Amino acid sequence: KSCFSLSVRDYDRLCNSIGIDRESKRALRLSQLLQVRGDRISFAHELFFAAFGAEAAIRSTHQDAIAIRNVLNSPRFYFCGSFILGAIEDDQVLREVLGGDIHPEILIACWRGECGDAAQAWVNTKLATFYKQ
């Protein structure tokens, strides 16, 4: 079983930065998705692990489409590709990423709607253009 952990202080900073209130944090603890051990909070669920991996990947690429594509094609981040694409807030950057050389499985995830509405719309538009030819 793999998990992601961070200090209680970092957890509080993260929650504050994205607007998670005290009651929501309490609900997360009660759901047993979070485990508190001393001054560490662990996320044992793979969705949290993927989400934090994606957040780290996006933060480290500084919204550079080529760097994001490199991360998407990296085995290290393979498990969170749909989360990475879903975390891209700039539609132009998203189009640049999707327009480059990326794993076919990621495009299939986009088509299924696993990477957000903008990614799904981009793939559907490209497919419609392809089939018209």
Side-chain angles (χ1 to χ4, degrees):
K1 175 177 168 180
S2 62
C3 69
F4 176 83
S5 72
L6 66 162
S7 72
V8 172
R9 281 188 179 154
D10 285 337
Y11 172 72
D12 286 338
R13 283 186 205 114
L14 176 66
C15 289
N16 290 338
S17 73
I18 59 176
I20 295 178
D21 62 17
R22 182 181 305 236
E23 197 54 40
S24 297
K25 290 193 299 190
R26 184 178 173 277
L28 280 171
R29 285 196 194 121
L30 290 175
S31 72
Q32 298 181 350
L33 290 173
L34 304 178
Q35 296 176 347
V36 181
R37 293 189 178 116
D39 68 341
R40 306 287 299 170
I41 293 183
S42 297
F43 304 88
H45 196 276
E46 63 273 1
L47 290 177
F48 279 108
F49 189 65
F52 277 99
E55 189 274 333
I58 289 297
R59 188 172 12 95
S60 70
T61 60
H62 306 289
Q63 296 290 319
D64 178 272
I66 294 169
I68 294 170
R69 239 182 280 126
N70 289 337
V71 166
L72 285 170
N73 291 322
S74 165
R76 178 177 175 206
F77 291 100
Y78 181 77
F79 70 95
C80 61
S82 59
F83 286 89
I84 291 170
L85 286 175
I88 300 172
E89 295 178 354
D90 184 323
D91 286 350
Q92 177 61 34
V93 172
L94 180 64
R95 287 189 294 273
E96 289 176 33
V97 170
L98 291 172
D101 184 27
I102 59 174
H103 249 276
E105 289 89 7
I106 293 173
L107 293 175
I108 292 168
C110 291
W111 175 74
R112 289 182 181 149
E114 298 171 12
C115 306
D117 293 339
Q120 185 179 36
W122 185 90
V123 168
N124 287 336
T125 300
K126 291 297 179 183
L127 285 172
T129 302
F130 177 76
Y131 283 114
K132 284 182 184 177
Q133 294 178 358

